[in-house]
Amino acid sequence: MRYISTRGLPGAAGAGFSDILLEGLAADGGLYLPAEYPQVDAGILASWRHVLATQGYAALAHRVLSLFVDDIPSDDLLGICQRAYTPEKFGSSSIVPVERVGNGPLWIGHLSNGPTAAFKDMAMQLLGELFGYELGRRDGYLTILGATSGDTGSSAEYAMRGRDRLAVYMLTPAGRMTPFQQAQMFGLQDENIHNIALDGVFDDCQDVVKAVNHDAEFKANYHIGAVNSINWARLVAQVVYYVAIWLRVTTSNDQRISFAVPTGNFGDICAGHVAREMGLPIDTLILATNENNVLHEFFTTGVYRVRASAEVAATSSPSMDISKASNFERFVFDLLGRDGERTADLFGRQLSENGYFDLSGTPEFASIPERYGFVSGSSTHADRLQTIRGLYFDNGVLVDPHTADGVHIAHEWIGKAQAPIVVLETALPVKFAETIKEATELDLEIPPRFAEVMDAPRRVADLPNDAGKVKEYIAQTNKLG
Ligand SMILES: *Cc1c(COP(=O)(O)O)cnc(C)c1O
């Protein structure tokens, strides 16, 4: 399987999976996608159904990944999947349990039982194993530098902790994370994990990361890399849970179901798009945004307009507070018949010159619901509270505010999208205890498995908002290579 860039020219040769694994963007600024999507049919789905039932989630992951990875020996890939998806890390042998809400059309796909209680662990745990494997094979080193306002940073640290060819430097805006999020990151005692509380806001953290990356010599000397949501391996890991959930909810190999997905950077739902393009029988992909409705605006008007930082509202589903959706280019590339030049014009030239592009009135935009199954909605703080309250008191199901956005929009599509509709859970409620309290009056207790980090000494460096100081700190503390 070869990988091509969304901004590439037709006929470009493409790269292998292991080559793009450690890279971020393609050299032309585009995102990587497989040259074509592998296709599944009823026979393959039947065999996967058997694999999941008899050998479990890791074995299914191996089958699905094998369609996308041809430069890692099959036995090694199986080992990678088996180490990534253990019952110890994910709380049950099913890894991804599904639950029906009452006797109705809605189901919840539980993706947040991993080490940091957010769905990002589903991809990050696999990425940690893949990085460890590939760096060993290449005798290489990697210093992951990132900025986080919440779930991504802790998920990355848990996946990379204790690995000897990897170091992680995570910048967080000082004083802006919840106590639970702080404990999750700052309570880690592993020597290769470095937390930096920057005297600034999240955008300042991102600017410092960019500035460090602009210093080509420093970047090369310290093997600086990233684990951001545009990484293809993260997406392909997410395709696996669409398959697993589909297998658990359906009873025949041609039954169509729908998914409702809380969306920020278009990562989680992009994996659904890939699964649907592979032929997994998905009817509708219901995209749920919060007040930061960049994507809902596109799917209803055809206009994609990125927001300035100041325009991004701070909401009670903070992991969806985005100014632009970094994976969206992948979908648009497919929508435009994989025309790399046109994609480059939209995402390169038009976005930087105008801040938006407009596909309204094009046949491609008109084709979206029928051809690609996407519909969308956006919700408010009041919607989240009402949804959390309703699900809890009527059905005994407690969801976090992001998942509540998904449930709220799923309700709007009952009767129009083919049921069952599976809402993808993105975090455990305890991570957002304040909003749960506001909705239900419940005081959630921190589960025992997190108690250790809550009580652990804090490991964090307070640094000024200054890329030079951050580079100095990396130079002083990095023990790699
Ligand atoms: C990351 C995240 C999202 C958004 O997922 P994308 O892949 O960026 O669309 C939603 N909810 C939670 C809790 C998250 O951590």
Side-chain angles (χ1 to χ4, degrees), residues 101-370:
V101 178
N103 294 316
L106 293 193
W107 294 61
I108 310 270
H110 290 285
L111 303 178
S112 328
N113 293 316
T116 71
F119 87 99
K120 292 193 170 67
D121 293 330
M122 295 301 307
M124 214 65 91
Q125 285 294 324
L126 186 83
L127 201 64
E129 295 300 337
L130 284 166
F131 276 11
Y133 174 85
E134 195 57 30
L135 290 171
R137 195 156 74 152
R138 295 178 180 212
D139 194 15
Y141 299 92
L142 187 65
T143 300
I144 291 165
L145 175 66
T148 186
S149 56
D151 302 320
T152 308
S154 54
S155 184
E157 290 188 350
Y158 274 78
M160 310 298 166
R161 64 190 290 200
R163 294 186 187 277
D164 54 9
R165 292 172 176 277
L166 275 156
V168 179
Y169 288 81
M170 224 19 103
L171 274 59
T172 61
R176 303 251 172 171
M177 292 195 302
T178 68
F180 184 64
Q181 285 174 322
Q182 292 189 32
Q184 271 196 318
M185 294 181 62
F186 305 166
L188 288 181
Q189 304 301 311
D190 307 79
E191 267 203 32
N192 70 329
I193 303 297
H194 305 270
N195 293 299
I196 297 172
L198 199 80
D199 184 14
V201 295
F202 177 62
D203 281 322
D204 298 321
C205 295
Q206 277 193 311
D207 288 345
V208 166
V209 170
K210 272 188 212 149
V212 174
N213 274 292
H214 269 136
D215 181 342
E217 195 189 330
F218 185 87
K219 194 177 170 186
N221 282 347
Y222 290 94
H223 316 282
I224 303 284
V227 287
N228 38 30
S229 76
I230 55 156
N231 185 293
W232 167 256
R234 279 180 66 177
L235 269 189
V236 79
Q238 294 176 174
V239 170
V240 179
Y241 59 67
Y242 279 88
V243 175
I245 289 170
W246 181 86
L247 289 169
R248 292 207 163 116
V249 170
T250 59
T251 49
S252 75
N253 293 322
D254 56 3
Q255 189 186 341
R256 293 165 77 81
I257 67 172
S258 301
F259 286 89
V261 189
T263 304
N265 273 319
F266 203 80
D268 200 354
I269 201 162
C270 191
H273 163 67
V274 172
R276 195 176 186 276
E277 289 298 296
M278 290 169 68
L280 189 71
I282 295 174
D283 181 68
T284 307
L285 288 165
I286 302 167
L287 180 148
T289 70
N290 64 17
E291 291 88 335
N292 296 298
N293 60 357
V294 186
L295 287 167
H296 176 52
E297 186 172 280
F298 173 79
F299 282 101
T300 46
T301 69
V303 176
Y304 180 66
R305 185 179 65 84
V306 302
R307 311 291 200 250
S309 306
E311 272 183 280
V312 179
T315 75
S316 51
S317 45
S319 303
M320 293 157 62
D321 293 347
I322 50 119
S323 56
K324 60 179 181 350
S326 51
N327 273 292
F328 186 51
E329 183 169 334
R330 289 192 158 107
F331 170 70
V332 172
F333 178 65
D334 285 343
L335 177 67
L336 300 179
R338 302 202 131 198
D339 182 336
E341 271 177 281
R342 218 171 137 201
T343 309
D345 183 57
L346 296 182
F347 283 89
R349 188 181 65 81
Q350 294 200 31
L351 281 190
S352 55
E353 283 176 15
N354 311 325
Y356 75 95
F357 61 74
D358 183 356
L359 294 180
S360 65
T362 63
E364 289 92 349
F365 178 68
S367 77
I368 289 177
E370 187 66 28

